[in-house]
Amino acid sequence: MATQLKSGNEPGIECSKEEWQARLDLAACYRIFDHLGWSESIYNHISVKVPGEEDTFLINPFGLLYDEVTASNLVKIDVEGNNVGGSPYMVNKAGFTQHAYFHKHLGTRAAAICHVHTTATMAVCSHKGGLLPTNFYACNFQGQIGYHDFEGITVRPEEGERLVENLGDHSILMLRNHGPVVMDKTIQGMFVKMWALQRACEIQVATLGMGDPQPVPQDVVDVHQRDLSVMAGQGGAGVFDFEAWKRRIDRIDDSWRN
């Protein structure tokens, strides 16, 4: 059953309680990314599948800064690019093309997706060796990342098949010379994965700037990942992290809830 939800600044929208919660979480995520310095003017994207619906997802309105995104102004589109939520905003074609293909072909494993252009992650994507096993966070991801060679702006649908092929069974795709795509079954899981990847890349950039890095042997990486999988449950698969950052942005500006 749809619920009429209205804010003071946006037209009322009709959606289920589950969709409204997804809108709140996604709007919060945009504000958290902005607070952490992960935004890129009006570009880049975070999207989330609409709960209980087939082939529809929410994404940022093109033309708004991340700190202008709210629960009610997110755009609801289907995987063919149709605006199915009545939003007056348009979406960035690059965001639709890339995210739509993942949402359409990967199902729940790509229920939440982000693509960023942070300096550290773009630097590592532009490094011949990619992400190296030279720091704690980087060891989290060894053997769990796909790489896709640069083909220009991702606006051509035929590139989607190659993106999925190069992703394989992983949840992170490093677009070489470009930036990463991070996905997960939940927005909380995607966020904490992105946070750890950002830290891994920041530390790698700093380490390589000092000279020769100290690589971690594969057998140690294996033990690290084994123990990490046991520890992951204590963090609620990113839920604790995400809720903590929501509290932070609420103290700064809670307009994302509108």
Side-chain angles (χ1 to χ4, degrees), residues 15 23 27 35 41 46-47 54 61 83 119 130 143 171 223 233 239 244-245 258:
C15 68
R23 284 175 171 273
H35 179 71
S41 186
I46 315 169
S47 64
E54 291 295 324
N83 184 333
T119 300
S171 60
V223 171
V239 173
W245 282 105
N258 291 340

Side-chain angles (χ1 to χ4, degrees), residues 73-92:
N73 68 26
L74 288 161
V75 185
K76 181 178 178 180
I77 60 176
D78 65 19
V79 294
E80 304 303 326
N82 301 306
N83 184 333
V84 295
S87 172
Y89 296 100
M90 62 180 289
V91 300
N92 187 336

Side-chain angles (χ1 to χ4, degrees), residues 208-219:
L208 293 181
M210 294 190 301
D212 293 333
Q214 175 65 51
V216 177
Q218 185 59 48
D219 60 332

Side-chain angles (χ1 to χ4, degrees), residues 120-127 130 147 173-180:
T121 58
M122 286 189 76
V124 171
C125 284
S126 302
H127 186 264
Y147 289 86
L173 182 63
M174 300 293 262
L175 307 180
R176 292 192 183 276
N177 311 105
H178 189 171

